[in-house]
């Protein structure tokens, strides 16, 4: 059995934790540079605000006090997510983190009659310990668990936020499937849904009842597996997170950049983030790529620069990677262009435990260990005193590249100087 636990309107719920005045208010969270809506509360949905709508289209509602808008506060959301996942993990045998706001849990060995109570316990504990409202779907397969979660979220008053598939009779299961369009099934995209509807398969029940040979003839292996999972036959177990084989860090600027100093600062920031991820998963990178580009939708002259190097030795040292990245940036940078985005890519990633040193160059190993201790100290200080307390000097060359985030809340859980004051 599997459970799918999902944080309701997660970004908005994170904002509500530290601001009780937001309860029952229409709240939205905006994308990078305050571009468009990426999260909405139920109250915002009731006002007709669609996902992805540009901010300027709801600006008047914000000014009139009908809607409260927040810039994306990814540092806060990431920390709350980690707390939510750790809380869930305290109640179940194993967890697979699927996204920042949802995870699958393995419920193998738990008695069928205890599943509903377990779902309620997960929901209650996450609310009590973290402050995030959740819904829980429990079923024999991951796809059905996702479907149950959708039902729990769609009818919160009826189901109390928890749906256990096997607690229902066949008749109720069929009615539930018949009530939902086929495109509500996890893994059925818009194009596949259109093909299915052309074959007369319009509801989730139609899909479950469809002939296996029909599905096999017309659709991919992925859709065939979805069909099997919706029929209660597991095709995928819990996936334990593997170390990333490719790390990308990039961001669009709040305004166009023409000078090299803001680009140097941005590249250093991205390198620091990527290198920290390498260290978290005990890996080294052997290739490094730097990318800079202008706005493809702008009126200025266009330029796209990209250059990759292979390192002589794998590294997760922020200083080493930044030195190489800054050299690549100087090669790529051209005056007279209005740059809108830059980024870095780390590839050729392998475990730190597979490093082979030169048999006749023991100094390499000592130097590597010394650098590792230095980086571990850097990470420990930033973890204890707040992200960004200890950074590369080049990160402070300029702030011109930073995103526009005019409505950002405090980073309550990760910055000492932004703790919530109690009066």
């Amino acid at each position: 059995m599997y459970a799918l636990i999902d944080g309701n309107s997660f970004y908005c719920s994170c904002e509500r934790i530290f601001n009780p005045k937001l309860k029952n208010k229409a709240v939205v969270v905006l994308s990078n540079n305050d571009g468009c809506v990426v999260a909405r509360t139920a109250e915002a949905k009731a006002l007709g605000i669609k996902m992805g709508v540009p901010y300027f289209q709801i600006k008047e509602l914000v000014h009139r006090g009908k809607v409260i808008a927040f810039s994306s506060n990814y540092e806060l959301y990431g920390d709350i997510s980690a707390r939510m996942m750790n809380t869930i993990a305290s109640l179940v045998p194993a967890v697979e983190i699927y996204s920042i706001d949802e995870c699958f849990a393995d419920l193998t060995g738990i008695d069928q009659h205890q599943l509903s109570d377990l779902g309620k316990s997960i929901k209650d504990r996450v609310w009590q310990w973290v402050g995030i409202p959740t819904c829980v779907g429990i079923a024999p397969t991951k796809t059905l668990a996702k479907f149950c979660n959708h039902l729990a979220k769609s009818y919160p008053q009826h189901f109390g936020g928890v749906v256990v598939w096997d607690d229902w009779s066949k008749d109720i299961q069929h009615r539930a499937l018949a009530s939902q369009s086929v495109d509500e099934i996890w893994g059925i995209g818009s194009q596949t849904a259109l093909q299915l509807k052309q074959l007369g398969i319009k509801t989730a029940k139609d899909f479950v009842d469809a002939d296996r040979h029909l599905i096999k003839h017309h659709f991919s292996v992925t859709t065939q597996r979805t069909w099997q999972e919706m029929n209660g036959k597991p095709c995928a177990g819990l996936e334990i997170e593997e170390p990333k084989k490719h790390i990308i860090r990039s961001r669009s600027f709040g305004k166009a950049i023409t000078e090299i100093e803001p680009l140097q600062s941005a590249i250093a920031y991205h390198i620091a983030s990527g290198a920290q991820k390498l260290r978290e998963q005990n890996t080294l990178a052997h290739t490094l790529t730097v990318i800079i580009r202008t706005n493809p939708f702008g009126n200025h002259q266009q330029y796209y620069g990209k250059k990759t190097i292979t390192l002589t030795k794998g590294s997760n040292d922020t200083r080493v990677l930044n030195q190489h990245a800054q050299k690549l940036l100087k090669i790529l940078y051209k005056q007279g262009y209005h740059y809108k985005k830059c980024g870095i890519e780390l590839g050729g990633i392998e475990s730190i435990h597979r490093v082979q040193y030169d048999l006749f160059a023991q100094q390499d190993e000592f130097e590597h260990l010394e650098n590792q201790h230095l980086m571990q100290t850097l990470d420990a200080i930033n973890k204890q005193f707040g992200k960004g307390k200890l950074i590369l000097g080049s990160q402070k060359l300029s702030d011109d590249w930073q995103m526009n985030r005019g409505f950002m809340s405090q980073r309550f859980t990760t910055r000492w100087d932004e703790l919530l004051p109690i009066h």
Side-chain angles (χ1 to χ4, degrees):
M1 296 293 286
Y2 298 94
L4 189 280
I5 304 99
D6 180 25
N8 301 338
S9 302
F10 182 72
Y11 289 177
C12 297
S13 294
C14 289
E15 299 291 352
R16 280 176 164 172
I17 292 174
F18 301 95
N19 191 347
K21 292 181 181 179
L22 298 177
K23 185 178 180 180
N24 299 324
K25 300 286 187 180
V27 179
V28 299
V29 173
L30 306 174
S31 63
N32 291 350
N33 292 309
D34 296 339
C36 57
V37 173
V38 294
R40 309 159 294 163
T41 60
E43 295 81 5
K45 295 175 185 178
L47 290 175
I49 298 175
K50 305 294 185 184
M51 184 69 80
V53 65
Y55 170 66
F56 72 84
Q57 292 186 12
I58 64 166
K59 194 173 183 179
E60 182 60 28
L61 289 173
V62 175
H63 287 168
R64 287 163 47 197
K66 298 291 185 180
V67 177
I68 302 169
F70 287 94
S71 303
S72 296
N73 189 343
Y74 297 120
E75 191 171 325
L76 173 67
Y77 307 154
D79 186 65
I80 296 299
S81 172
R83 294 167 188 245
M84 185 176 95
M85 301 307 172
N86 289 336
T87 300
I88 295 168
S90 70
L91 287 167
V92 298
V95 167
E96 174 197 335
I97 299 174
Y98 180 66
S99 66
I100 192 171
D101 64 341
E102 60 185 325
C103 69
F104 287 101
D106 184 0
L107 306 185
T108 301
I110 298 175
D111 186 85
Q112 171 67 35
H113 299 95
Q114 298 177 343
L115 293 177
S116 181
D117 288 339
L118 176 61
K120 293 174 184 175
S121 296
I122 292 172
K123 192 175 184 298
D124 292 344
R125 183 172 290 189
V126 173
W127 174 249
Q128 183 179 14
W129 289 13
V130 188
I132 295 293
T134 57
C135 286
V136 183
I138 300 175
T141 71
K142 292 168 74 175
T143 305
L144 268 175
K146 183 84 169 175
F147 183 76
C148 289
N149 181 276
H150 166 71
L151 293 172
K153 184 176 290 187
S154 300
Y155 308 99
Q157 301 300 323
H158 191 72
F159 298 123
V162 178
V163 169
V164 180
W165 187 249
D166 283 0
D167 281 355
W168 288 348
S169 65
K170 288 294 182 183
D171 180 59
I172 295 176
Q173 290 177 357
H174 291 165
R175 284 160 52 194
L177 290 166
S179 71
Q180 302 299 311
S181 173
V182 69
D183 50 17
E184 294 294 351
I185 297 174
W186 182 44
I188 301 295
S190 57
Q191 289 299 316
T192 302
L194 180 61
Q195 288 178 267
L196 286 165
K197 289 176 181 178
Q198 289 172 345
L199 294 171
I201 300 173
K202 299 178 181 180
T203 68
K205 186 176 186 303
D206 293 337
F207 181 71
V208 169
D209 292 342
D211 184 76
R212 180 174 64 87
H213 298 290
L214 176 72
I215 299 297
K216 185 175 182 180
H217 178 73
H218 288 278
F219 299 97
S220 67
V221 172
T222 301
T223 304
Q224 294 171 42
R225 289 175 178 169
T226 299
W227 178 85
Q228 289 188 48
E229 288 244 329
M230 285 299 291
N231 277 282
K233 301 171 185 176
C235 294
L238 223 59
E239 297 178 7
I240 305 303
E241 185 178 8
E242 295 289 333
K244 293 183 181 297
K245 299 298 184 183
H246 201 68
I247 295 173
I248 299 175
R249 296 289 186 271
S250 66
R251 185 176 294 173
S252 295
F253 308 140
K255 61 182 180 180
I257 298 297
T258 56
E259 303 299 323
I260 193 171
E261 286 80 7
L263 291 171
Q264 290 174 321
S265 178
I267 290 295
Y269 175 88
H270 294 319
I271 284 290
S273 176
Q276 182 183 9
K277 184 62 181 180
L278 286 171
R279 295 192 293 272
E280 285 177 359
Q281 58 184 28
N282 291 315
T283 55
L284 306 172
H286 286 80
T287 66
L288 168 63
T289 301
V290 171
I291 301 169
I292 59 175
R293 67 176 303 166
T294 55
N295 185 353
F297 305 105
N299 297 323
H300 299 285
Q301 189 176 1
Q302 297 297 310
Y303 173 68
Y304 177 86
K306 178 177 180 179
K307 194 167 184 63
T308 302
I309 60 166
T310 299
L311 308 177
T312 54
K313 293 187 295 185
S315 179
N316 60 17
D317 189 312
T318 302
R319 302 165 304 159
V320 172
L321 294 172
N322 187 55
Q323 288 173 1
H324 289 294
Q326 297 298 339
K327 290 178 182 177
L328 292 179
L329 175 61
K330 289 181 179 178
I331 295 172
L332 292 171
Y333 174 75
K334 293 182 180 181
Q335 289 185 330
Y337 289 92
H338 292 72
Y339 297 99
K340 187 61 176 175
K341 187 175 184 178
C342 75
I344 61 100
E345 299 178 11
L346 299 170
I349 295 174
E350 68 175 10
S351 170
I352 199 171
H353 304 296
R354 296 180 61 186
V355 177
Q356 292 186 351
Y357 301 100
D358 189 328
L359 180 64
F360 303 102
Q362 295 183 356
Q363 183 63 31
D364 282 355
E365 182 174 359
F366 295 139
E367 181 180 346
H368 171 75
L369 292 174
E370 183 178 319
N371 292 343
Q372 285 296 307
H373 291 153
L374 179 60
M375 290 297 104
Q376 288 171 3
T377 301
L378 181 148
D379 292 338
I381 290 174
N382 284 333
K383 183 176 181 180
Q384 181 173 352
F385 296 102
K387 184 178 179 181
K389 280 297 181 183
L390 205 57
I391 62 174
L392 295 173
S394 52
Q395 288 180 239
K396 300 298 290 183
L397 285 172
S398 173
D399 290 332
D400 288 349
W401 64 276
Q402 297 281 6
M403 289 190 298
N404 290 326
R405 292 196 282 185
F407 312 103
M408 198 175 87
S409 57
Q410 294 167 234
R411 292 159 291 190
F412 300 100
T413 61
T414 57
R415 305 275 179 151
W416 285 107
D417 56 345
E418 296 183 26
L419 288 174
L420 183 68
I422 304 297
H423 300 288

